[in-house]
Amino acid sequence: MTDVTTTRGVGGGVGTDAGRPDGVPKVQGRFGFSSDAFAEGMLWGRTLRSPHPSARIHGIDTSTAEQIDGVEVVLTAADVPGTPTFGLEHADQPVFAADVVRYQGEPVAAVAADHPETARRAAEAIVVDYGPVEPLVDAEAALDADPIHPDGNVVRHIRIVHGSPDDVTGDVVVECEYEVGMQDQAFMGPESGLAIPDGAGGVDLYISTQWLHVDRDQVAACLALDPEQVRLTLSGVGGAFGAREDVSLQVHVCLLALRTGRPVKMLYSREESFFGHVHRHPARMRYRHHADRDGSLVKVEASLWFDGGAYASSSTAVISNACSFAAGPYRVPHARVEGWAMRTNNPPCGAMRGFGSVQVCFAHEAQMDKLAAALDIDPVDLRLRNALEPGDRIITGQRITGVAPVRECIRAAVDLPLPTVDADGNVAPVTLPGGTGRTADAEHVRRGVGIAVGFKNLMYSEGFDDFSTASVRVEVGPDDEVTATVHSAAAEVGQGFVTLAQQIVRSELGVQRVQLRPADTVIGSAGSTSASRQTWMSGGAVQGACDDVRRAVYERVAERRGVALAGARREVLRLDAHGIHHVDQGWVVPLAEAIGDEPVEATHEFHHANTEPLDEDGQGDAHVSFVFAAHRAVVDVDPELGLVRVHQITTGQDVGRALNPRQVIGQIEGGIAQGVGLAVMEEIVLDGGRIRNPSFTDYLIPTALDMPVVDATLIEQPEPGAPFGAKGVGEPPTISSTPAVVAAIRAATGIDLRRVPVRPDDIALA
């Protein structure tokens, strides 16, 4: 789609392929990421981390480190002036470990020095007397184990009882156990930030994050400051995917800056980044599906064990999603689901793209294929037979009041053409499993096709008071052109909100030139860039601010022209690119003339519809809206070598309305890349709580050469209540692409694969 003129007469509005304002500088290398931040006279911070997944601390000696030339300060838990713990939802994680460490990589001390190498040497010179303890690394065993944290090992337990699960049994029953490994978000820009003391006791922090205001509040509490004394500005973010929802170095760098009275910068290495942020929860899941002979689902039973690692992070929301969507996007009259999010001595886990839904989708889609085989029904037909529709209830009892194009997504995914095979059997070596190394011979390769369907909630759930704030200012510049400026704390992490904000203003106000102020905590919160929520929430806030600006301009023009707006039964003034029109009298006042030298500005706070917590049986209207997608994968497998080449993925995705189709396709392709990664290569390898592969040499992620051909169909059915009818699009591509790939590998090999990622030995040694 090319750029087109909006209904208000300007280009680059809603529904067009408007270009990203940060696109060209990023491609040219001119974009400033947080790691590029610099301040005159700044120091460098460094964190000392525990080498043990579980240990008692008998003593810490910092004297040698403090004597190194260039070292300004060394800090430990005793130096934290405020709350000693922090946390996204529960403040259960120490700023520095004091008497016990609960995971490998837990911060124990921090150093500020005049050079990063000096800071590194100083951190290594700190002597910590550890008493290692046998780590607790099994989430299911943690239920009966001694608590590793004062709050206990159970972060949250949810029970869902839907219908009468004790009274029914299907004609056909299939059951199995599944596992999902620990995936890393693998963003390109490691954690970094620059803290500058303001000289009055406060601090300014320039940081790459997903949620400025929650970071601010946690930092302020730990520093014993008022929130107003801690001001955060978003620096360029090199990807997030949930890993930047939790505080990493924020408290440390601010504390170092305040103690030294000088700017301090911290920048994690790639290896430290693996220890410095949360990951996707590994999960163990046991499922039993019941169906009638005709393929109608009767009951789903599931037990879900999610390993949250040492601290809570967002485990409560992750297990809630896992339980809510455990049965998949299908009509299930009866269900019993129990889910546990547990503490262990493994690395902390939290939000990651599609949180909770990704894990259970792998399991429930494998079950649907088992059920189809047991019933001798085509897997696609089985899914179509049971697909949710508007008005149906999910297993939490909530009725779907919006659109639910599940069947349209499935049909779109399977109707796209399968890849063709050369009539002569010629195959380019680069397309074989193993790639250019030509480790696989074409004659050994088997092809498989698989399908999977997933769904998830949009935005925050269970009664969370979710809102976003934005302001829009319209003024006439020195060149007599009207300029609109958007101010929001929404974190641009690569998803493209900066583009949408401009598009919305162009469409709503007919102003071509739209600028963006840096996201900061000067304005009210925009919430987190997560849960596929910023298009709906902050897009709604920008739209609301535009509406308030437009009304203010109407009132100004009406007063000057003697037009009565009060009591009018229809809108008599209309705004487009030419100005403010009187719909009956025909005159037009150019917007620049209406504004003159008095800029118009409005701030709007947008809230979504209320939700409610789940009750003791896991029932309730806990979610605002749902989004659906289906994926079909075509893979080539060399069974002898265990190598897999994902050849093609087709998808049908529910998008509500595509506000920027090109960006939607970008989100779909990126999400599928992470889904392919989880299916066949991405896993943080743990051994007794220790990470064995904290590098991009040993933690493999798909490259451009690993990516399959992606053919996407956007299912556009505007969602009632959503600004512009648009749904968030970032998470669905990751949810069902993984099980589609594994289903295709099963089809190619006949191996009953129950764990992801699928490793070569899972195939070759099966």
Coordinates of all heavy atoms in Angstrom, one line a residue, residues 682-740:
E682 N 16.4 -21.5 20.1 CA 16.6 -20.6 21.3 C 16.3 -21.3 22.6 O 15.2 -21.7 22.9 CB 15.8 -19.4 21.1 CG 16.2 -18.5 20.0 CD 15.5 -17.1 20.1 OE1 15.4 -16.5 21.2 OE2 14.9 -16.7 19.1
E683 N 17.3 -21.4 23.5 CA 17.1 -21.8 24.8 C 18.3 -21.4 25.7 O 19.5 -21.6 25.3 CB 16.9 -23.3 24.9 CG 16.7 -23.8 26.4 CD 16.4 -25.3 26.5 OE1 16.6 -26.0 25.5 OE2 15.9 -25.7 27.6
I684 N 18.0 -20.8 26.8 CA 19.0 -20.6 27.9 C 19.3 -22.0 28.6 O 18.4 -22.5 29.2 CB 18.6 -19.5 28.9 CG1 18.5 -18.2 28.2 CG2 19.6 -19.5 30.1 CD1 18.1 -17.1 29.1
V685 N 20.5 -22.5 28.4 CA 20.8 -23.8 28.9 C 21.2 -23.7 30.4 O 22.1 -22.9 30.7 CB 21.9 -24.5 28.1 CG1 22.2 -25.9 28.7 CG2 21.5 -24.7 26.7
L686 N 20.5 -24.3 31.3 CA 20.7 -24.3 32.7 C 21.3 -25.6 33.2 O 20.8 -26.7 32.8 CB 19.4 -23.9 33.5 CG 18.8 -22.6 33.1 CD1 17.4 -22.4 33.8 CD2 19.7 -21.4 33.6
D687 N 22.2 -25.5 34.2 CA 22.8 -26.6 34.8 C 22.9 -26.3 36.3 O 23.8 -25.6 36.7 CB 24.2 -27.0 34.2 CG 24.8 -28.2 34.8 OD1 24.1 -28.9 35.6 OD2 26.0 -28.5 34.5
G688 N 22.0 -26.9 37.1 CA 22.0 -26.6 38.5 C 21.8 -25.1 38.8 O 22.4 -24.6 39.8
G689 N 21.1 -24.4 38.0 CA 20.8 -23.0 38.2 C 21.8 -22.1 37.5 O 21.6 -20.9 37.5
R690 N 22.8 -22.6 36.9 CA 23.8 -21.8 36.2 C 23.5 -21.8 34.7 O 23.2 -22.8 34.1 CB 25.2 -22.4 36.4 CG 25.8 -22.2 37.9 CD 27.2 -22.8 38.0 NE 27.8 -22.4 39.2 CZ 27.7 -22.9 40.4 NH1 26.8 -24.0 40.5 NH2 28.3 -22.5 41.5
I691 N 23.7 -20.6 34.2 CA 23.5 -20.4 32.7 C 24.8 -20.8 32.0 O 25.9 -20.3 32.3 CB 23.2 -18.9 32.4 CG1 21.9 -18.5 33.0 CG2 23.2 -18.7 30.9 CD1 21.6 -17.0 32.8
R692 N 24.7 -21.7 31.1 CA 25.8 -22.3 30.4 C 26.1 -21.6 29.0 O 27.1 -21.9 28.4 CB 25.7 -23.8 30.1 CG 25.7 -24.6 31.4 CD 26.9 -24.3 32.3 NE 27.1 -25.3 33.4 CZ 28.0 -25.1 34.3 NH1 28.8 -24.1 34.3 NH2 28.1 -26.0 35.3
N693 N 25.2 -20.8 28.5 CA 25.4 -20.2 27.2 C 25.1 -18.7 27.2 O 24.3 -18.3 26.4 CB 24.6 -20.9 26.2 CG 23.1 -21.0 26.5 OD1 22.7 -20.8 27.7 ND2 22.3 -21.2 25.5
P694 N 25.7 -17.9 28.0 CA 25.3 -16.4 28.1 C 26.1 -15.6 27.0 O 26.8 -14.7 27.3 CB 25.8 -16.0 29.5 CG 27.0 -16.9 29.8 CD 26.7 -18.2 29.1
S695 N 25.9 -16.0 25.7 CA 26.5 -15.2 24.6 C 25.7 -15.5 23.4 O 25.0 -16.6 23.3 CB 27.9 -15.6 24.5 OG 28.1 -16.9 23.9
F696 N 25.9 -14.7 22.4 CA 25.2 -15.0 21.1 C 26.1 -15.9 20.3 O 25.7 -16.2 19.1 CB 25.0 -13.7 20.3 CG 23.7 -12.9 20.8 CD1 23.5 -11.6 20.4 CD2 22.8 -13.5 21.6 CE1 22.4 -10.9 20.8 CE2 21.7 -12.9 22.1 CZ 21.5 -11.6 21.7
T697 N 27.2 -16.4 20.8 CA 27.9 -17.5 20.2 C 27.2 -18.8 20.5 O 27.1 -19.7 19.7 CB 29.4 -17.5 20.7 OG1 30.0 -16.3 20.3 CG2 30.1 -18.7 20.0
D698 N 26.8 -18.9 21.7 CA 26.2 -20.2 22.2 C 24.7 -20.2 22.3 O 24.0 -21.2 22.4 CB 26.8 -20.6 23.5 CG 28.3 -20.8 23.4 OD1 28.7 -21.5 22.5 OD2 29.0 -20.2 24.3
Y699 N 24.1 -19.0 22.5 CA 22.6 -18.8 22.5 C 22.3 -18.4 21.0 O 22.5 -17.3 20.6 CB 22.1 -17.8 23.5 CG 20.6 -17.7 23.5 CD1 19.9 -18.4 24.4 CD2 20.0 -16.8 22.6 CE1 18.5 -18.3 24.4 CE2 18.6 -16.7 22.6 CZ 17.9 -17.5 23.5 OH 16.5 -17.4 23.5
L700 N 21.7 -19.4 20.3 CA 21.4 -19.1 18.9 C 20.1 -18.5 18.7 O 19.1 -18.9 19.3 CB 21.5 -20.5 18.1 CG 22.8 -21.2 18.2 CD1 22.8 -22.5 17.4 CD2 24.0 -20.4 17.8
I701 N 20.1 -17.5 17.8 CA 18.8 -16.8 17.3 C 18.8 -16.9 15.8 O 19.8 -16.9 15.2 CB 18.7 -15.4 17.8 CG1 19.9 -14.6 17.4 CG2 18.6 -15.4 19.4 CD1 19.8 -13.1 17.7
P702 N 17.6 -16.9 15.2 CA 17.5 -17.0 13.8 C 18.2 -15.7 13.1 O 18.0 -14.6 13.6 CB 16.0 -17.0 13.5 CG 15.4 -17.4 14.8 CD 16.3 -16.9 15.9
T703 N 18.9 -16.0 12.1 CA 19.4 -14.9 11.3 C 18.5 -14.7 10.0 O 17.6 -15.5 9.9 CB 20.9 -15.2 10.8 OG1 20.8 -16.3 9.9 CG2 21.7 -15.6 12.0
A704 N 18.9 -13.8 9.2 CA 18.1 -13.6 8.0 C 18.1 -14.9 7.1 O 17.1 -15.2 6.5 CB 18.6 -12.4 7.2
L705 N 19.2 -15.6 7.1 CA 19.3 -16.9 6.4 C 18.4 -18.0 7.0 O 18.1 -19.0 6.3 CB 20.7 -17.3 6.3 CG 21.6 -16.5 5.4 CD1 23.1 -17.0 5.4 CD2 21.1 -16.5 3.9
D706 N 18.0 -17.9 8.2 CA 17.2 -18.9 8.9 C 15.7 -18.6 8.7 O 14.9 -19.5 9.0 CB 17.5 -19.0 10.4 CG 18.9 -19.4 10.6 OD1 19.3 -20.5 10.1 OD2 19.6 -18.7 11.4
M707 N 15.4 -17.4 8.3 CA 14.0 -17.0 8.2 C 13.3 -17.6 7.0 O 13.8 -17.7 5.9 CB 13.9 -15.5 8.1 CG 13.9 -14.8 9.4 SD 12.5 -15.2 10.5 CE 11.1 -14.5 9.6
P708 N 12.1 -18.1 7.3 CA 11.3 -18.7 6.2 C 10.6 -17.6 5.4 O 10.6 -16.4 5.8 CB 10.3 -19.5 6.9 CG 10.1 -18.8 8.2 CD 11.4 -18.2 8.6
V709 N 10.1 -18.0 4.2 CA 9.2 -17.0 3.5 C 8.0 -16.9 4.4 O 7.4 -17.8 4.9 CB 8.8 -17.6 2.1 CG1 7.7 -16.8 1.5 CG2 10.1 -17.8 1.3
V710 N 7.5 -15.6 4.6 CA 6.3 -15.3 5.4 C 5.3 -14.7 4.5 O 5.5 -13.7 3.8 CB 6.7 -14.4 6.5 CG1 5.4 -13.9 7.2 CG2 7.6 -15.0 7.5
D711 N 4.1 -15.4 4.4 CA 3.0 -14.8 3.7 C 1.9 -14.5 4.7 O 1.4 -15.5 5.3 CB 2.5 -15.8 2.6 CG 3.5 -15.9 1.4 OD1 4.1 -14.9 1.1 OD2 3.6 -17.0 0.9
A712 N 1.5 -13.3 4.8 CA 0.5 -12.9 5.8 C -0.8 -12.3 5.2 O -0.7 -11.6 4.2 CB 1.1 -11.9 6.8
T713 N -1.9 -12.7 5.8 CA -3.2 -12.1 5.4 C -3.7 -11.4 6.7 O -3.8 -12.0 7.7 CB -4.2 -13.2 5.0 OG1 -3.7 -13.9 3.9 CG2 -5.5 -12.6 4.7
L714 N -4.0 -10.1 6.5 CA -4.5 -9.3 7.7 C -6.0 -9.4 7.7 O -6.7 -9.1 6.7 CB -4.0 -7.9 7.5 CG -2.5 -7.6 7.3 CD1 -2.2 -6.1 7.3 CD2 -1.7 -8.3 8.4
I715 N -6.5 -9.9 8.8 CA -8.0 -10.0 8.9 C -8.5 -8.8 9.6 O -8.3 -8.5 10.8 CB -8.4 -11.3 9.7 CG1 -7.7 -12.5 9.2 CG2 -9.9 -11.4 9.8 CD1 -8.1 -12.9 7.8
E716 N -9.1 -7.9 8.8 CA -9.5 -6.6 9.3 C -11.0 -6.6 9.6 O -11.9 -6.5 8.7 CB -9.2 -5.5 8.3 CG -7.7 -5.3 8.1 CD -7.4 -4.0 7.5 OE1 -7.4 -2.9 8.1 OE2 -7.0 -4.0 6.3
Q717 N -11.3 -6.7 10.9 CA -12.7 -6.6 11.4 C -12.6 -5.6 12.6 O -12.1 -6.0 13.7 CB -13.2 -7.9 11.9 CG -13.4 -8.9 10.7 CD -14.1 -10.2 11.2 OE1 -14.5 -10.4 12.3 NE2 -14.1 -11.2 10.3
P718 N -12.9 -4.4 12.4 CA -12.7 -3.4 13.5 C -13.3 -3.8 14.8 O -14.4 -4.3 14.9 CB -13.4 -2.1 13.0 CG -13.3 -2.3 11.5 CD -13.5 -3.8 11.2
E719 N -12.5 -3.6 15.9 CA -12.9 -4.1 17.2 C -13.7 -3.0 17.9 O -13.3 -1.8 18.0 CB -11.7 -4.3 18.1 CG -11.9 -4.7 19.6 CD -12.5 -6.1 19.8 OE1 -12.9 -6.7 18.8 OE2 -12.4 -6.6 20.9
P720 N -15.0 -3.3 18.3 CA -15.8 -2.2 19.0 C -15.0 -1.7 20.3 O -14.5 -2.5 21.0 CB -17.0 -3.0 19.4 CG -17.1 -4.2 18.5 CD -15.7 -4.5 18.2
G721 N -15.1 -0.4 20.5 CA -14.5 0.2 21.6 C -13.0 0.5 21.5 O -12.4 1.2 22.4
A722 N -12.4 0.0 20.5 CA -10.9 0.3 20.3 C -10.8 1.5 19.4 O -11.4 1.7 18.4 CB -10.2 -0.9 19.6
P723 N -9.9 2.4 19.8 CA -9.6 3.6 19.0 C -9.3 3.1 17.5 O -8.4 2.3 17.3 CB -8.4 4.3 19.6 CG -8.5 3.9 21.1 CD -9.1 2.5 21.0
F724 N -10.0 3.7 16.6 CA -9.9 3.3 15.2 C -10.2 1.8 14.9 O -10.0 1.4 13.8 CB -8.5 3.6 14.6 CG -8.1 5.1 14.9 CD1 -7.2 5.4 15.9 CD2 -8.6 6.1 14.1 CE1 -6.8 6.7 16.1 CE2 -8.2 7.4 14.3 CZ -7.3 7.7 15.3
G725 N -10.7 1.1 15.9 CA -11.0 -0.3 15.7 C -9.8 -1.2 15.6 O -9.9 -2.4 15.3
A726 N -8.6 -0.7 16.0 CA -7.3 -1.4 15.8 C -7.0 -2.2 17.1 O -7.2 -1.8 18.2 CB -6.2 -0.4 15.6
K727 N -6.5 -3.4 16.8 CA -5.9 -4.3 17.9 C -4.4 -4.2 17.9 O -3.8 -4.0 16.8 CB -6.4 -5.7 17.7 CG -7.9 -5.9 17.9 CD -8.2 -7.4 17.8 CE -9.7 -7.7 18.2 NZ -10.0 -9.1 18.1
G728 N -3.8 -4.5 19.0 CA -2.4 -4.7 19.1 C -2.0 -5.9 18.3 O -2.7 -6.9 18.2
V729 N -0.8 -5.8 17.6 CA -0.4 -6.9 16.7 C 0.9 -7.5 17.0 O 1.3 -8.5 16.3 CB -0.4 -6.3 15.2 CG1 -1.8 -5.8 14.8 CG2 0.7 -5.2 15.1
G730 N 1.6 -7.1 18.0 CA 3.0 -7.6 18.2 C 3.1 -9.0 18.8 O 4.1 -9.6 18.5
E731 N 2.1 -9.5 19.6 CA 2.3 -10.7 20.2 C 1.8 -12.0 19.5 O 2.5 -13.0 19.5 CB 1.7 -10.7 21.6 CG 2.4 -9.7 22.6 CD 1.7 -9.6 23.9 OE1 0.6 -9.1 23.9 OE2 2.3 -10.1 24.9
P732 N 0.7 -11.9 18.8 CA 0.1 -13.1 18.1 C 1.1 -13.8 17.2 O 1.1 -15.1 17.2 CB -1.1 -12.6 17.4 CG -1.5 -11.4 18.2 CD -0.3 -10.7 18.6
P733 N 2.0 -13.1 16.4 CA 2.8 -13.9 15.6 C 3.8 -14.8 16.3 O 4.2 -15.8 15.7 CB 3.7 -12.8 14.8 CG 2.9 -11.6 15.0 CD 2.2 -11.7 16.3
T734 N 4.1 -14.6 17.6 CA 5.0 -15.4 18.3 C 4.3 -16.6 19.0 O 4.9 -17.6 19.3 CB 5.7 -14.6 19.4 OG1 6.3 -13.4 18.8 CG2 6.7 -15.3 20.2
I735 N 3.0 -16.4 19.2 CA 2.3 -17.4 20.0 C 2.1 -18.8 19.3 O 2.5 -19.8 19.8 CB 0.9 -16.9 20.4 CG1 1.1 -15.7 21.4 CG2 0.0 -18.0 21.1 CD1 -0.1 -14.9 21.7
S736 N 1.5 -18.7 18.0 CA 1.2 -20.0 17.4 C 2.2 -20.4 16.3 O 2.0 -21.4 15.7 CB -0.2 -20.0 16.9 OG -0.6 -18.8 16.2
S737 N 3.2 -19.6 16.0 CA 4.2 -20.0 15.0 C 5.0 -21.1 15.5 O 5.4 -22.0 14.8 CB 5.0 -18.8 14.6 OG 5.6 -18.1 15.7
T738 N 5.4 -21.1 16.8 CA 6.2 -22.1 17.4 C 5.5 -23.5 17.3 O 6.1 -24.5 16.7 CB 6.5 -21.8 18.9 OG1 7.3 -20.6 18.9 CG2 7.3 -23.0 19.5
P739 N 4.3 -23.7 17.8 CA 3.7 -25.0 17.6 C 3.4 -25.4 16.2 O 3.4 -26.6 15.9 CB 2.4 -24.9 18.4 CG 2.1 -23.4 18.6 CD 3.5 -22.8 18.6
A740 N 3.2 -24.4 15.3 CA 3.0 -24.8 13.9 C 4.3 -25.4 13.3 O 4.2 -26.4 12.6 CB 2.6 -23.6 13.1

